[in-house]
């Protein structure tokens, strides 16, 4: 990003970003400085990419016209702690409306790829069309600006995501990587391929410690485009840390919001893992396809129980003091640290653990590890498999695929591997299509075609207004457990004021684990210190709100109908008596919620996206 | 008066899972937290007899107080 005459600016139009358009069909590359049209363009991430997507009429995700947009946020590559996010946006192969049109989606990830891409001098890449043969794209910081090349990628095919990263790292020093796994390569039968991002720790240790931009099948779209990997090669270009920047980072580390994710040894809450124990107090941890039984099975996955068998090591991304990763290592017979088993965070832990009827940490680590190597979105895969197991348990006489039901570890492992290898389209296409195909949709845990994360829908009507993943784009997923809120008034308020602002972190390039509201002084100060740009808290909040509403307007334009703004019907028709929080969501509640939320949002959405041309 | 205290996650690791403790009549949840050296900013959720409550909630003989740390995700 640059400003006109390198002046400090408060005007988005005075800010330019550098766009690189790569035509994968012809190999042509264009670089252009683009003036920002609004603050969303300046902040970046999906706030910018969704404006590009809104300008296109896309009816099929797997079509050459569907662009893959890779970009960063304003603070990616800056000294603000956690500033390293990269974003992948496109019309999704996975999320589609009842009208059959693909939804616009974005997916975000950490690791060091975003930084390196930014340091090559590129803020945004638009990959147009598709390559005839497998290629990877290299972005390099050249003497006269960014240098871009497409290279054959045949040698990478069939490798796991980690193997691809390590192979490329031997060829490209001082670089980071965004790659797909076997799942993305098998895009025709797997719509939930993730983009796998390298980390410093991974390149140094050789251990598979990648980060993932998982949601919405952006890795599958890369596979369709025959784009197997992206290399970003540049020396690190961090500015000198000023005293004011040091204050910003000190405030991040000291914020109560980030403390929840910091290591226990540092006085923190130990990451999202602690959620299990708190949610279990309400018997609200997903079990056997989001249907807790009111028992204590899940306690075997509590941190202190897992620590009996594994060494838990808190690690983090490049220069991040929050260090939210909980990496589990085997213990050698002599007690020393052995091989990495897997990363253990709330989502994969539950979705490959209790929600599949598996409560043995060793087995859960194997499933997480395998899903990661295959390069699939853990949420989409876990939730689709749990549906299959549920179906098989309900129909012992006509079981699907290998007949697995809850707890069948060996059979489930086989399902993960085979889905990653493109052998099980039934699972790879996600739970919405699967449930529609077998004709039992009531217990398919998705909203608007995107699989639910590991928070019960029984406790979160906010899911219906999430635009890119249930807990990533609407910050209401733990509201009920935390505050006991259950009136329509409270939920309208939560969705239309605080909840939607969660997406701001998917614009500016920071992690949500910074843990403060997007309009917080810390964000305003961080932007000022890192970029010289001066935007008020109110301006940032208004911009994030517009970006969210543009996303919602795009959903409507892609044919999402009123009746799709709902929860899985089992939640409404058959409330689970085992959840210790009183059931409060029924049809009447949702109808009233929808009516009131739309009455706030619809007037603000007018004119945010152009009409479809066809 | 006697109050049963249940602790979760890092509070449990640090102290205990469940214990019956003595407090003077009129004690509030915040007095329990102080007694256990849990700072108020560490606390995310308070339940009294299974219902959400705040730190100022005045306790009665035989109450069950649950204290949980701040959690998050996303
Ligand atoms: S908060 Fe966690 S995921 Fe985010 S940058 Fe820090 S270590 Fe990485």
């Amino acid at each position: 990003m640059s400003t006109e005459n390198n002046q400090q600016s408060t005007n988005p139009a005075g800010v330019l970003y550098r766009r690189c358009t790569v035509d994968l069909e012809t190999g042509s590359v264009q670089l252009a400085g683009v003036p920002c049209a609004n603050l969303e363009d300046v902040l970046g991430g999906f706030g910018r990419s969704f404006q590009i997507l809104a300008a296109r009429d896309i009816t099929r995700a797997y079509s050459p016209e569907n662009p893959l947009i890779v970009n960063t946020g304003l603070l990616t590559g800056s000294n603000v702690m956690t500033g390293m996010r990269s974003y992948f946006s496109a019309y999704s192969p996975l999320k589609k409306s009842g009208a059959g049109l693909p939804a616009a989606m974005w997916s975000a990830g950490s690791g060091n790829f975003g930084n390196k891409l930014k340091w090559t001098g590129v803020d945004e890449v638009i990959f147009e069309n598709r390559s005839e043969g497998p290629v990877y794209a290299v972005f390099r910081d050249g003497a006269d600006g960014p240098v871009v090349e497409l290279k054959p990628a045949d040698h990478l095919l069939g490798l796991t995501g980690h193997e691809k990263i390590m192979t490329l790292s031997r060829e490209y020093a001082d670089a980071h990587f965004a790659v797909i796994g076997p799942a993305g390569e098998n895009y025709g039968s797997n719509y939930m391929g993730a983009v796998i991002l390298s980390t410093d720790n991974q390149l140094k240790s050789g251990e598979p410690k990648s980060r993932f931009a998982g949601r919405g099948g952006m890795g599958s779209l890369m596979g369709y485009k025959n784009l197997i990997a992206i290399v970003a090669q540049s020396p690190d270009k961090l500015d000198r840390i000023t005293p004011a920047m040091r204050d910003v980072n000190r405030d991040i580390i000291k914020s109560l919001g980030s403390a929840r994710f910091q290591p226990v040894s540092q006085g923190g809450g130990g990451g999202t893992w602690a959620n299990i124990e708190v949610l279990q107090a309400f018997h609200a941890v997903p079990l056997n396809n989001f249907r807790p039984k009111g028992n204590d099975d899940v306690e075997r996955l509590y941190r202190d129980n897992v620590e009996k068998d594994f060494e838990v090591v808190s690690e983090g991304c490049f220069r991040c003091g929050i260090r939210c990763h909980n990496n589990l290592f085997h213990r050698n017979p002599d007690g020393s640290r052995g091989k990495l088993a897997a990363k253990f965070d709330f989502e994969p832990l539950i979705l490959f653990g209790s929600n599949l009827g598996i409560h043995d940490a060793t087995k859960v680590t194997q499933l997480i590890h395998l899903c990661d190597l295959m390069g699939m979105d853990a949420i989409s895969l876990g939730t689709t498999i749990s549906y299959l197991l549920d179906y098989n348990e309900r129909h012992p006489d006509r079981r699907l695929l290998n007949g697995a039901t809850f707890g069948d570890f060996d059979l489930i492992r086989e399902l993960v591997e085979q889905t990653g290898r493109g052998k099980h389209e039934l699972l790879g296409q996600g739970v919405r299509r699967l449930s529609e195909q077998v004709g039992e949709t009531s217990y398919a845990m998705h909203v608007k075609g995107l699989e639910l994360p590991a928070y019960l829908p029984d406790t979160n009507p906010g899911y219906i207004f999430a635009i890119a993943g249930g807990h990533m784009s609407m910050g209401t997923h733990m509201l009920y457990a935390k505050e006991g809120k259950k009136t329509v008034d409270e939920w309208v308020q939560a969705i239309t004021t605080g909840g939607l602002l969660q997406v701001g972190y998917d614009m500016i390039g920071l992690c949500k684990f910074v843990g403060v509201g997007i309009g917080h002084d810390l964000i305003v100060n961080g932007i000022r210190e890192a970029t010289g740009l001066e935007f008020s808290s109110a301006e940032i909040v208004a911009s994030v709100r517009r970006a969210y509403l543009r996303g919602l307007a795009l959903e409507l334009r892609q044919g999402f109908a009123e009746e799709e703004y709902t929860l899985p019907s089992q939640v409404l028709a058959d409330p689970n008596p085992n959840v210790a929080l009183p059931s409060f969501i029924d049809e009447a509640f949702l109808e009233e919620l929808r009516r009131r939320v739309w009455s706030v949002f619809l007037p603000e959405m007018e004119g945010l996206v152009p009409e479809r041309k066809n | 008066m006697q109050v049963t205290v249940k602790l979760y996650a890092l509070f449990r690791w640090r102290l205990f899972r469940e214990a019956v403790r003595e407090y003077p009549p009129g004690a509030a949840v915040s007095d329990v937290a102080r007694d256990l050296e849990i700072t108020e900013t560490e606390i995310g959720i308070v339940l009294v007899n299974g219902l959400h409550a705040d730190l100022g909630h005045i306790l009665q003989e035989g109450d069950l107080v649950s204290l949980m740390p701040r959690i998050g995700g996303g």
Side-chain angles (χ1 to χ4, degrees), chain A residues 82 84-85 110 211 315-317 320 322-325 511 513:
Chain A
T82 83
M84 63 193 91
R85 301 291 266 183
S110 292
R211 305 303 291 172
E315 295 181 304
C317 301
C320 178
I322 298 175
R323 297 196 298 138
C324 73
H325 313 172
C511 247
F513 291 179

Side-chain angles (χ1 to χ4, degrees), chain A residues 127-147:
Chain A
F127 289 103
E128 301 280 9
N129 297 316
R130 68 187 296 242
S131 164
E132 204 163 295
V135 292
Y136 66 96
V138 182
F139 294 82
R140 231 186 11 253
D141 164 49
D144 303 316
V147 177

Side-chain angles (χ1 to χ4, degrees), chain A residues 248-290:
Chain A
V248 168
N249 287 334
R250 186 205 53 215
D251 290 348
I252 289 177
I253 280 294
K254 288 204 162 155
S255 91
L256 291 172
S258 82
R260 297 169 291 175
F261 306 108
Q262 292 177 34
V264 175
S265 59
Q266 208 167 290
T272 55
W273 196 346
N275 296 357
I276 301 185
E277 187 163 345
V278 172
L279 293 177
Q280 173 63 4
F282 304 103
H283 289 294
V285 178
L287 190 117
N288 292 17
N289 197 27
F290 296 83

Side-chain angles (χ1 to χ4, degrees), chain A residues 343-365:
Chain A
K343 66 178 195 297
F344 241 34
D345 295 312
F346 181 68
E347 299 293 331
L349 175 53
I350 294 306
L351 295 175
F352 284 111
S354 59
N355 205 38
L356 303 183
I358 295 174
H359 308 286
D360 173 335
T362 304
K363 291 177 175 170
V364 181
T365 59

Side-chain angles (χ1 to χ4, degrees), chain A residues 539-560:
Chain A
E539 287 171 318
I540 293 168
V541 166
S543 172
V544 171
R545 188 175 179 90
R546 269 195 311 275
Y548 165 84
L549 291 170
R550 188 175 289 115
L552 198 58
L554 252 176
E555 275 190 353
L556 296 184
R557 198 188 73 175
Q558 291 303 96
F560 283 89

